[in-house]
Amino acid sequence: MEDNSITIRPARAGDGGALFEVTWLSVQALAKDHYSAEQIAAWMGKRTAAYYEDLISHGRVRVAERQDRIIGFVDAEPGELTRLFLLPSAAGAGLGHKLLAIGLEQARIGYKGPIRVEATLNAEGFYARHGFKTVCKGPASHQFSDDPIELAYMEMPQPEA
């Protein structure tokens, strides 16, 4: 019988290639109905595994693994959920919800205001279901290609004390 248990752990040096792969496969499959083929093709821009290794070095990335394969990850900094991506095969089974909870917890460390996220248009509904409100739409602030990618700028109010 196959073990389908998922482990969530801090990302470590050497995971950058897997994070690149998760992001790229996620964008290709899950964002294709919201962005042009040209935008999808250029999405990763000059990002490489080394880009993700640098993110990992900050100590905020958490990964979800199944059978020693990274199937999703989340990254956050005070006040902002910066990244949450899943392999397409892992989407729709509750893992996004688990990673979002971890990311929100991290984003609230030392921060008391609303939590922000720049959501891809395909993920806007996911974030809305979890309490985020769309503030506006506009180009990504972390642009890696010459073809602007429109995102939903969203916020989750500070929880009541």
Side-chain angles (χ1 to χ4, degrees):
M1 180 174 234
E2 195 173 312
D3 179 14
N4 287 324
S5 62
I6 295 173
T7 305
I8 297 177
R9 64 164 174 83
R12 53 184 174 246
D15 286 341
L19 272 56
F20 177 92
E21 177 185 40
V22 167
T23 305
W24 182 225
L25 293 175
S26 178
V27 167
Q28 287 177 323
L30 303 177
K32 66 180 172 37
D33 293 335
H34 294 83
Y35 299 96
S36 72
E38 294 77 20
Q39 287 173 311
I40 296 292
W43 195 287
M44 299 301 280
K46 296 178 181 164
R47 276 183 257 198
T48 64
Y51 168 81
Y52 292 93
E53 288 295 333
D54 182 57
L55 294 176
I56 291 166
S57 73
H58 299 156
R60 297 185 308 255
V61 180
R62 300 293 179 267
V63 300
E65 281 184 323
R66 179 184 294 132
Q67 298 177 336
D68 297 323
R69 181 177 186 205
I70 294 175
I71 60 172
F73 71 96
V74 65
D75 183 25
E77 56 189 50
E80 184 176 6
L81 184 73
T82 51
R83 287 163 204 84
L84 194 164
F85 287 94
L86 303 174
L87 286 179
S89 61
L95 179 59
H97 175 77
K98 289 178 189 175
L99 289 175
L100 177 60
I102 291 166
L104 289 172
E105 186 177 302
Q106 287 183 281
R108 289 189 178 114
I109 295 172
Y111 184 81
K112 298 279 185 211
I115 305 299
R116 297 172 315 281
V117 66
E118 293 181 24
T120 56
L121 299 180
N122 56 291
E124 186 177 11
F126 167 80
Y127 288 111
R129 287 189 300 279
H130 289 88
F132 283 85
K133 305 278 187 236
T134 301
V135 175
C136 66
K137 292 187 181 178
S141 65
H142 307 289
Q143 196 71 27
F144 287 89
S145 72
D146 294 332
D147 193 0
I149 296 169
E150 182 180 24
L151 299 177
Y153 286 79
M154 304 179 81
E155 287 186 353
M156 174 184 277
Q158 176 182 350
E160 299 296 320

